[in-house]
Amino acid sequence: TGWSGPVGEHKAISWSPPIPLVEVQALAHANAATVNDVLLTCVAQTLRAYLHGHGAVCQSVTWDVPVNLKPFDPSLPVELGNSFALVQLELPTDHDDPLRTLEVVRRRMGRIKRGHEAVVDFGVQAVFSRLGGRLYRVAIDLMANRAVGVLTNVPGPRAPLYVVGRKVEGMMGWAPTTADQAMSFTIYSYDGKVFVGLAADVGLVPDHEQIVEGFTAAFRRMQSLTARRAG
């Protein structure tokens, strides 16, 4: 796809205008899917459009997806620290129909949720963490280079936040990458809105802003097709 190869020093970021969360929820309900399924389908569709626009075709794009192994706790825990695993998810990029893509995404995400892959991966990561510095780096790079980057969906505060009396209108984040990963895709929800942020290697992902622009276009197309099917 052109996304394989050594990364350079220059990075770029872009982000989308917010999408109302209620619209995402309605679309998920209409297709008997989850909000996460719908958003991941939009990622798959915009990647497909980007690849076709740059003369590349592939069946799927593999991502590292963080999976939390502990129930969400809004309070500050006594012991700080994360307990999550990076599970690899293949997003299909060979279907032009977003509703067909949604079916594949829903099935693959269901397998991850019902299986033991996340727990096993967490154990493997724990073993790697006990290796010496050089071996650890080599092992992590080998694992990371099996994916194009990190794809994460982070739920933020549901109610608006204020700083010195001023309302925070939006929030954005960019997941980190490692080894020769070409990009990261971060979906973040806050105060009833969904934001999308992309961080990309300039050399491996030219015209990176097209991916973020295509995300919103993919969502609107899925809305249109769902409404047409219902009508």
Side-chain angles (χ1 to χ4, degrees), residues 112-157:
I112 291 175
K113 294 174 182 177
R114 293 188 299 268
H116 303 288
E117 188 176 351
V119 176
V120 172
D121 284 353
F122 185 78
V124 172
Q125 293 168 203
V127 172
F128 285 167
S129 68
R130 298 186 181 94
L131 300 177
R134 186 174 181 180
L135 287 175
Y136 171 78
R137 184 74 265 169
V138 170
I140 291 298
D141 286 353
L142 285 174
M143 293 288 291
N145 284 336
R146 295 171 59 192
V148 69
V150 177
L151 169 59
T152 182
N153 184 1
V154 181

Side-chain angles (χ1 to χ4, degrees), residues 123-208:
V124 172
Q125 293 168 203
V127 172
F128 285 167
S129 68
R130 298 186 181 94
L131 300 177
R134 186 174 181 180
L135 287 175
Y136 171 78
R137 184 74 265 169
V138 170
I140 291 298
D141 286 353
L142 285 174
M143 293 288 291
N145 284 336
R146 295 171 59 192
V148 69
V150 177
L151 169 59
T152 182
N153 184 1
V154 181
R158 297 181 180 180
L161 301 181
Y162 295 83
V163 178
V164 292
R166 299 294 298 272
K167 180 182 178 180
V168 177
E169 297 294 340
M171 295 187 185
M172 184 49 60
W174 291 270
T177 57
T178 186
D180 283 320
Q181 293 181 335
M183 66 184 110
S184 71
F185 219 109
T186 303
I187 303 170
Y188 190 84
S189 59
Y190 161 69
D191 187 27
K193 299 181 287 290
V194 177
F195 302 85
V196 174
L198 179 76
D201 183 83
V202 172
L204 295 179
V205 193
D207 307 316
H208 65 280

